[in-house]
Amino acid sequence: MPGNDNIDADSSKGASGATSEQAQAAMPVSMTEEQLRAVTVGELAPLVGHVQIVDYDPAWPRLFEREAERIQAALGDRALLIEHVGSTSVPGLAAKPRIDVLLVVADSADESAYVPALEAAGYVLRIREPDWHEHRMFNGPDTHVNLHVFSPGSPEIDRMLLFRNWLRSHASDRQLYERTKRELASKDWKYTQNYADAKTTVVEEILARARRDGG
C-alpha cells in the first residue's frame, strides 16, 4: 500500500481494510491492483516480507491517546468523534503494531475543511475513496498510525465500534480472530490489502454474532 506497511482496519472495507460487513457498500470483496491504485494517494508499495502480527502491547492505548490529543488540537470542534479502533484497541488481542484511529468530521468529502490542519500536524493523506462512504485515510507523523475519516451517519462508524466492543467482551471470538490473523499473516501477499481481504469471512462471521446476540 501507499508508502507504508499496513493500512487495513479490522472492521472496515475499501482500500483501508477489507472486512465483510460492508458487502453492500458497492465495493468488491477483493480489490484489484487497478482499484487499489485508483484510491491510493502516492505510490502503491508492495508488501515486503510477511504481515507482522505481534502480541498485545499495553502501550497501544497510550499511543492512541497521544494521537487523539494531537488530532483534537489540530481540528478543535471540527473533530466530532475520535475513537481507538482495530485490533490494537482490544486488550489481549495480537495485532499489527499500527494504531487505527476513527475520526468523524462534518463532511469527509470537504477536504479543505480538515486536511490542511491535519497535514500541518504531520499527517499524510494516503487513501481517498469518494465512492466508498467518502472515506479518507492518513498515516501519522511519528507513530505507525492509520487515521480513518468518515462523515456522521456512515455505517462504517457503527461497524467499527461494534466489532471492537464485541471483541473486547467475547474471548472466544477474540481468540478465533487472532488465530485467523496469525494464519493469514504467515502467507505471502503482494499487498497488505490482500491480507485484509482474506479476513473477510471471519469478520463477517463475528459481526453476524455481534448483531444477533447484541440485538
Side-chain angles (χ1 to χ4, degrees):
M1 296 303 297
N4 64 4
D5 57 0
N6 173 28
I7 64 169
D8 75 286
D10 297 312
S11 58
S12 196
K13 185 69 174 77
S16 59
T19 54
S20 58
E21 71 281 20
Q22 285 79 326
Q24 74 273 30
M27 293 292 292
V29 172
S30 181
M31 295 187 73
T32 66
E33 184 165 334
E34 181 180 0
Q35 289 166 328
L36 288 173
R37 290 186 185 280
V39 300
T40 298
V41 179
E43 294 298 319
L44 181 62
L47 179 65
V48 178
H50 289 160
V51 173
Q52 182 187 17
I53 301 291
V54 301
D55 291 339
Y56 179 78
D57 187 339
W60 288 338
R62 294 193 297 273
L63 291 175
F64 161 73
E65 290 297 339
R66 186 178 70 175
E67 296 306 314
E69 291 173 3
R70 180 159 30 204
I71 295 163
Q72 190 70 61
L75 296 182
D77 59 9
R78 287 172 289 177
L80 305 181
L81 179 71
I82 305 172
E83 290 279 350
H84 190 185
V85 294
S87 290
T88 61
S89 69
V90 180
L93 179 61
K96 298 177 299 296
R98 180 168 292 272
I99 308 301
D100 282 295
V101 180
L102 168 64
L103 169 65
V104 179
V105 298
D107 181 1
S108 57
D110 183 9
E111 294 186 9
S112 64
Y114 67 95
V115 171
L118 288 177
E119 290 180 336
Y123 292 93
V124 179
L125 180 63
R126 288 304 200 182
I127 293 291
R128 177 185 289 117
E129 297 183 280
D131 296 329
W132 188 72
H133 306 292
E134 290 289 358
H135 171 244
R136 304 296 190 271
M137 198 282 296
F138 297 76
N139 287 155
D142 52 24
T143 301
H144 292 304
V145 171
N146 291 338
L147 173 59
H148 304 273
V149 187
F150 293 101
S151 304
S154 169
E156 294 311 301
I157 299 168
D158 288 341
R159 287 167 179 156
M160 282 185 168
L161 297 178
L162 175 63
F163 192 72
R164 178 198 69 185
N165 294 342
W166 181 264
L167 290 183
R168 282 177 173 178
S169 59
H170 291 79
S172 60
D173 275 339
R174 189 165 61 246
Q175 292 160 5
L176 168 63
Y177 190 48
E178 178 171 324
R179 288 195 305 272
T180 302
K181 291 199 301 177
R182 288 190 184 277
E183 177 183 353
L184 292 173
S186 69
K187 301 180 183 297
D188 294 324
W189 308 100
K190 184 172 183 180
Y191 299 107
T192 302
Q193 183 65 33
N194 303 138
Y195 158 82
D197 290 342
K199 296 187 297 181
T200 295
T201 299
V202 71
V203 173
E204 284 183 345
E205 176 186 335
I206 292 171
L207 278 167
R209 277 193 290 275
R211 292 191 185 99
R212 181 182 66 245
D213 296 345

